[in-house]
Amino acid sequence: MLRVAVVGSGPSGVYSAQSLVQQDPAVRVDVLDRLPCPYGLVRYGVAPDHEKIKSLQNTLRTVLEHDRVRFLGGLEVGPAGLPAGRLRELYHAVVYCVGAATDRRLGIPGEELRGSWSATEFVSWYSAHPDTAAALADGFLSGTRTAVVIGVGNVAVDVTRMLARGVTELSPTDMPQAALSALAASEVSEVHMVGRRGPSQARFTTKELRELGALPDTRVTVDRAELELDPGYADPSALPGAQRRNVEVLRGWADAAPGDAARHRLRLRFFLRPVALLPDASGGDRVGAVRFERTAPDGRGGVTGTGRYEEVEAQLVLRSVGYRGVPLEGLPFDTGRGTVPHLAGRVLREGAVAPGEYVAGWIKRGPTGVIGTNRPCAKETVTSLLADAPGLVRRELPGDPLDALRAEGHAPVDWSGWQAIEKAEAELGASLGRSVVKLSDWPSLLAAARSGTV
Ligand code: NAP
């Protein structure tokens, strides 16, 4: 019987487990996660107000409740927890589905000023990730009137939208109470979302873009002259469908009559490349503005600098310029791409296939695509794994890996432990007069989990 460990319980990990049990009637799969909670970015990345996408957790749940699948949470693979070498001894095969764990940097002066955060940190805060930076505690939004979001991908749209949401829309979500209170009390009235290239090169999807225009008490503005710098703007008909639809939405906003005054104004800006974050006038270490260089299209999809500069006031800067994979102990890593080199999901060591080691999801293909993209990606990896299985199962295993893990002092959070966390979150919500409210710190999560782990 083939035994497989899947490392990571986000969409790529769960789809890998699903593909394995669907294609092999005997395989047993353990899905490991560093956190005591499953679902990866569906729990800790999808914005709380995107309830429909969040409900995908129900689909992922049925996989983790399959009788040949086990969830083993709170188990970190790596030198600080379970060494990768030991994991490979306990299972015939390991599929790494660890995503892209960090954010890309801008590499410009002032990035470290107070009030400058990566979008990933901000998302972690409102998603109740237990590793959220302590500095993102109560009060970090106070005094913020204007925010700049750098980047025009879907994460940029998410954080922009969250800054404009009101308490009525946020309180039915599962966001932690502290984040809800901070956003409810926020005085942010203006958010600039800024792209370094043109509107036809923006990475957001049209559905997400349109949602900005539908926010209550919010006005979206664009600068027609800026949009017109893009050759695709005047005649979008030759653009690929997704880009054409984005440009059409932006054209609609450019043509619209100025609306009534609203509590929030979202300004979508283009052809501005960030060159520095500037401290505020107090001379301290707080951000006060972002300095941009105006760019112009270079005719090949890129931009060139024009030597003209513009400053945009901001007490909060969210750098939303993409995620990046991090190297894993014991695995090869392509530092340029931020991924593990592979051939159809089989890990490549110095160009040769390493039997028994596989990757799926963002650590395999980089941080692109929507959640559904992980399904075919996982399937490809599992097809490779199952083709290798006859050779892999010849190696005799020491027994049930969970027994070995426990004997070696590991105490993973099992499915009943996770269910106890869910129960605690429902109780917390009820005590606050809300629906489910997420626990946001390690001690609370572990205490809840231990009350349920068998
Ligand atoms: P992304 O789609 O790769 O967008 C990154 C943005 O950052 C781009 O606008 C990029 O501009 C810009 N950028 C990169 N380096 C920059 C620099 N040095 N200076 C200024 N701008 C820079 O990344 P993401 O928004 O983090 O999203 C990651 C993935 O998750 C995407 O596939 C996304 O669709 C997905 N996602 C989906 C949803 C949803 O479906 N609702 C929600 C969130 C995330 P250039 O194009 O010029 O490089």
Side-chain angles (χ1 to χ4, degrees):
M1 178 192 51
L2 178 68
R3 277 197 185 273
V4 181
V6 170
V7 183
S9 65
S12 60
V14 177
Y15 287 141
S16 296
Q18 181 178 44
S19 199
L20 279 161
V21 292
Q22 278 174 348
Q23 291 186 59
D24 181 326
V27 66
R28 298 213 165 243
V29 186
D30 286 343
V31 180
L32 281 55
D33 205 293
R34 188 174 79 77
L35 296 174
C37 312
Y39 311 134
L41 276 186
V42 178
R43 180 173 162 93
Y44 288 116
V46 171
D49 62 334
H50 272 175
E51 273 146 14
K52 194 154 167 235
I53 311 179
K54 283 256 175 231
S55 70
L56 198 76
Q57 292 186 12
N58 298 328
T59 314
L60 304 182
R61 164 191 297 276
T62 60
V63 178
L64 294 176
E65 289 183 337
H66 189 282
D67 57 8
R68 284 182 286 122
V69 177
R70 288 187 298 206
F71 171 69
L72 305 180
L75 196 56
E76 177 164 355
V77 174
L82 172 61
R86 181 64 182 139
L87 183 65
R88 285 201 289 275
E89 286 168 9
L90 295 175
Y91 294 88
H92 293 115
V94 179
V95 189
Y96 293 91
C97 302
V98 294
T102 191
D103 47 89
R104 293 178 55 201
R105 309 289 296 171
L106 285 172
I108 59 173
E111 208 167 349
E112 309 303 331
L113 286 170
R114 270 195 312 132
S116 154
W117 302 96
S118 72
T120 330
E121 290 169 312
F122 189 69
V123 170
S124 290
W125 169 70
Y126 65 59
S127 302
H129 193 294
D131 290 342
T132 301
L136 275 162
D138 298 349
F140 82 95
L141 272 180
S142 63
T144 300
R145 298 170 311 280
T146 305
V148 164
V149 177
I150 299 175
V152 283
N154 276 332
V155 171
V157 175
D158 275 349
V159 298
T160 298
R161 193 181 66 251
M162 289 302 288
L163 284 170
R165 281 270 188 228
V167 67
T168 328
E169 302 135 69
L170 292 176
S171 56
T173 74
D174 63 5
M175 78 184 323
Q177 189 65 19
L180 174 67
S181 308
L183 288 170
S186 135
E187 295 155 38
V188 175
S189 57
E190 188 157 78
V191 185
H192 299 249
M193 186 172 98
V194 189
R196 62 180 170 179
R197 297 192 288 157
S200 70
Q201 287 129 357
R203 303 271 189 96
F204 42 62
T205 41
T206 314
K207 183 166 163 287
E208 278 62 34
L209 178 64
R210 278 207 188 100
E211 214 180 336
L212 294 179
L215 290 170
D217 209 4
T218 300
R219 194 151 63 93
V220 181
T221 61
V222 289
D223 178 343
R224 186 201 299 271
E226 203 167 72
L227 297 174
E228 282 173 350
L229 295 171
D230 189 328
Y233 183 76
D235 178 15
S237 63
L239 295 171
Q243 282 86 341
R244 193 191 67 241
R245 286 188 291 274
N246 282 345
V247 170
E248 281 162 359
V249 172
L250 294 165
R251 284 172 72 108
W253 286 335
D255 294 342
D260 298 335
R263 181 172 168 216
H264 297 111
R265 182 177 182 205
L266 308 183
R267 299 190 62 183
L268 273 52
R269 309 288 315 269
F270 295 93
F271 293 113
L272 290 171
R273 171 160 72 198
V275 291
L277 271 61
L278 308 174
D280 67 9
S282 71
D285 62 351
R286 265 207 81 87
V287 71
V290 185
R291 185 168 161 82
F292 292 97
E293 181 180 19
R294 163 73 57 203
T295 61
D298 66 2
R300 299 185 304 278
V303 284
T304 50
T306 62
R308 284 184 287 122
Y309 296 86
E310 184 173 318
E311 282 171 23
V312 178
E313 175 204 319
Q315 297 81 40
L316 174 72
V317 177
L318 298 176
R319 309 174 317 260
S320 182
V321 296
Y323 292 87
R324 210 184 137 65
V326 293
L328 287 154
E329 177 243 351
L331 275 190
F333 193 69
D334 179 336
T335 40
R337 289 170 43 88
T339 54
V340 171
H342 72 95
L343 184 67
R346 293 177 174 98
V347 171
L348 287 174
R349 288 183 182 274
E350 286 163 20
V353 161
E357 296 174 300
Y358 304 86
V359 280
W362 279 2
I363 197 65
K364 171 184 174 187
R365 53 171 218 280
T368 57
V370 293
I371 293 169
T373 317
N374 291 297
R375 203 188 267 273
C377 173
K379 196 167 174 202
E380 179 194 59
T381 296
V382 166
T383 303
S384 298
L385 189 161
L386 293 178
D388 299 345
L392 298 172
V393 290
R394 275 193 223 118
R395 182 167 60 89
E396 205 172 314
L397 298 181
D400 183 340
L402 185 52
D403 294 339
L405 287 169
R406 287 188 170 138
E408 290 163 23
H410 299 284
V413 172
D414 62 15
W415 194 248
S416 54
W418 159 243
Q419 287 176 312
I421 292 176
E422 285 188 305
K423 186 164 164 275
E425 294 189 333
E427 286 166 1
L428 174 62
S431 73
L432 295 164
R434 294 174 58 198
S435 183
V436 169
V437 172
K438 281 176 173 171
L439 299 174
S440 55
D441 61 275
W442 278 99
S444 313
L445 286 166
L446 291 178
R450 296 289 170 238
S451 73
T453 300
V454 255

